Amino acid sequence: MSEIDWKNLPFGYFKTDYNVRAYYKDGKWSDLEVRQDEYLNIHMAATCLHYGQEAFEGMKAFRGKDGKIRIFRPDENAKRLLLSANGIMMQPVPTELYIEACKKVVKLNEKFVPPYGTGASFYIRPLLIGTGAEVGVKPAKEYTFVVFGGPVGPYFKAGFKPVPMQTVKDFDRVAPLGTGLFKVGGNYAASLRASERAHEEGFSTVLFLDAKEHKYIDEAGPANFFAIKGNKYITPDSHSILRSITNMSLQQIALDLGMEVEKRPIEEAELASFDEIGACGTAAVISPISKIVDRSTGHEFVVSKDGQVGPKSTALYKQLRAIQEGEVEDIHGWNLIVD
C-alpha cells in the first residue's frame, strides 16, 4: 500500500481489514469467525472485566527478502498462552486453533505486511478473555479468543540505539509467587505508574527489582533484561518474569555465535561490571541500554560510554532479524511461512 509511510510507522494500533475470533461455549471451541468490526460485545458481568481473566500474546510477521511472509515462532507463543490460561484458570486455546487464527489474520491482511527492508513488521495480537457472566469470584464458563494485527515500527522511538533506563525500588511489578511469568494484563497495569514516571523523568524504560528483597534484577516493564560480559550472555533466572520468546531465541543465537549463556540471579550491584546491557522482547526486539540510574540513590551505571551499540548486542540483533526476514538459513525451524 503506497500511501503508508512504512519507514516512519509508530508502534501502535493500526486499523486493518479483518480480525478473527473463536468462542468457547458448552464445553467446546467454535470454528474461526472472520470479522471486520473492531469491537467486542460482552456481558457487563464478564470475568475479564471484574476478575482479570485475560491473557494476550505479541508476535510478529515479516516479509522476507524472497517476498515470503514469515511468522516468528508461533508455536512458542501458543505454549505461552496455554501457560497463562492455566495460570489464571481460563480455558486454553488449542495450539492448532491458535496457529490457524494467526495465519488467517496475516493472510487476510497481507497488503498491510510491510515490504522487506523498511524496518517495519506486522504485529499480531492474540487475546483470550473470560466472557461468561459471574458475580462470585470464580472462573468463567465461556471465553472469547480474538486475533488482530497491523503494521508497526520500532517500539522505542530511538530504534536500535542506546536508551537510558531507570531502576525503581518503590514499586513492584509482581508478587514473588504471583502472576509474573504469565502474560496477563494485570502485570502491565502494575508497571504503568513506575513506567510513566520514568518517561516523565527522561528515561525510555524502567527496570524492576525482585519484590522480595529489592536486590536482584527482575524485568523491564515491557521486556526481559540481558547483559553481556566478555563472551557471556547473562539473563535473570526468576519465577516472576515473563518467559520471553525473544530472550529464548537470543540465548540460542548466542550459543550459535560461540558465546556462553548464563541464566542466574543477577544482583543490581553487578550492573557496573557488564560490557553491554539490553532489554529484549517481541515489540522492542533488542533495545540497547546507554545507562541505568538507580532512582532511590541517584547512582548511575554508564554502559555505553561512546553512545554506540555494543558489538555483541549488534551481532545478536542482526542475526535474529536476518532469521526473521529470511536472509539466512533458519536452521532451528523457527519461522512459519504463510502461503
Side-chain angles (χ1 to χ4, degrees):
M1 298 182 67
S2 58
E3 65 271 23
I4 297 177
D5 185 0
W6 300 109
K7 291 188 176 182
N8 292 296
L9 282 169
F11 189 94
Y13 178 75
F14 191 108
K15 183 179 176 359
T16 54
D17 291 339
Y18 302 100
N19 60 83
V20 298
R21 309 177 187 189
Y23 308 93
Y24 183 84
K25 189 176 181 179
D26 299 326
K28 62 181 180 180
W29 281 101
S30 70
D31 293 333
L32 286 175
E33 172 185 284
V34 177
R35 298 284 291 270
Q36 289 187 288
D37 62 303
E38 302 168 272
Y39 296 93
L40 297 169
N41 184 16
I42 61 175
H43 196 285
M44 63 184 176
T47 60
C48 64
L49 300 177
H50 298 267
Y51 305 123
Q53 276 204 299
E54 177 276 350
F56 67 100
E57 278 299 319
M59 310 161 57
K60 282 182 178 178
F62 301 84
R63 195 180 298 276
K65 191 174 183 179
D66 55 5
K68 296 179 180 178
I69 298 173
R70 293 166 170 81
I71 303 176
F72 187 67
R73 305 195 76 172
D75 54 327
E76 291 296 335
N77 288 92
K79 289 178 188 175
R80 192 168 64 182
L81 185 62
L82 175 66
L83 178 73
S84 298
N86 287 330
I88 58 171
M89 300 295 292
M90 293 198 293
Q91 181 62 37
V93 177
T95 298
E96 298 79 11
L97 178 63
Y98 180 96
I99 292 178
E100 180 189 356
C102 292
K103 286 179 67 175
K104 187 176 284 288
V105 85
V106 172
K107 189 66 178 175
L108 289 170
N109 296 295
E110 185 173 349
K111 67 183 181 181
F112 295 99
V113 179
Y116 169 76
T118 58
S121 56
F122 187 87
Y123 186 79
I124 306 165
R125 171 55 60 84
L127 171 69
L128 176 63
I129 58 174
T131 44
E134 299 288 350
V135 174
V137 182
K138 54 186 169 183
K141 297 181 180 66
E142 297 178 7
Y143 295 88
T144 298
F145 175 55
V146 184
V147 182
F148 64 90
V152 296
Y155 186 80
F156 292 112
K157 291 180 181 179
F160 189 58
K161 294 179 181 178
V163 296
M165 174 183 274
Q166 184 184 72
T167 302
V168 296
K169 295 175 182 172
D170 57 340
F171 287 108
D172 292 324
R173 173 181 161 268
V174 293
L177 299 176
T179 59
L181 74 165
F182 310 131
K183 197 169 178 66
V184 296
N187 297 342
Y188 294 83
S191 75
L192 287 176
R193 287 177 67 194
S195 296
E196 288 304 300
R197 184 181 67 183
H199 295 161
E200 291 169 3
E201 295 178 357
F203 297 89
S204 292
T205 187
V206 66
L207 184 62
F208 292 95
L209 302 181
D210 74 288
K212 187 175 183 179
E213 298 181 75
H214 288 167
K215 178 180 178 182
Y216 297 98
I217 302 298
D218 207 42
E219 179 168 86
N224 272 194
F225 173 94
F226 76 89
I228 304 295
K229 187 173 184 178
N231 199 42
K232 291 181 179 178
Y233 179 100
I234 306 168
T235 195
D237 185 16
S238 167
H239 294 295
S240 60
I241 64 175
L242 186 69
R243 296 181 181 179
S244 166
I245 291 148
T246 303
N247 195 351
M248 182 194 314
S249 304
L250 290 172
Q251 290 175 53
Q252 181 58 59
I253 291 171
L255 293 172
D256 294 343
L257 295 177
M259 298 174 65
E260 295 179 56
V261 171
E262 283 187 2
K263 192 172 181 181
R264 60 171 175 80
I266 302 172
E267 292 190 25
E268 183 189 15
E270 288 187 67
L271 289 173
S273 69
F274 295 136
D275 302 322
E276 304 173 35
I277 290 175
C280 63
T282 297
V285 186
I286 288 179
S287 180
I289 303 304
S290 59
K291 67 178 180 179
I292 301 178
V293 178
D294 185 326
R295 192 178 188 276
S296 63
T297 65
H299 188 77
E300 186 172 298
F301 304 93
V302 177
V303 185
S304 176
K305 295 180 176 61
D306 59 1
Q308 301 300 311
V309 183
K312 299 291 187 185
S313 297
T314 299
L316 290 165
Y317 176 82
K318 286 185 175 180
Q319 183 66 8
L320 179 56
R321 289 303 303 263
I323 293 169
Q324 292 172 329
E325 297 187 346
E327 296 175 349
V328 298
E329 184 182 358
D330 179 17
I331 61 174
H332 299 293
W334 288 343
N335 290 315
L336 174 66
I337 295 176
V338 179
D339 47 24

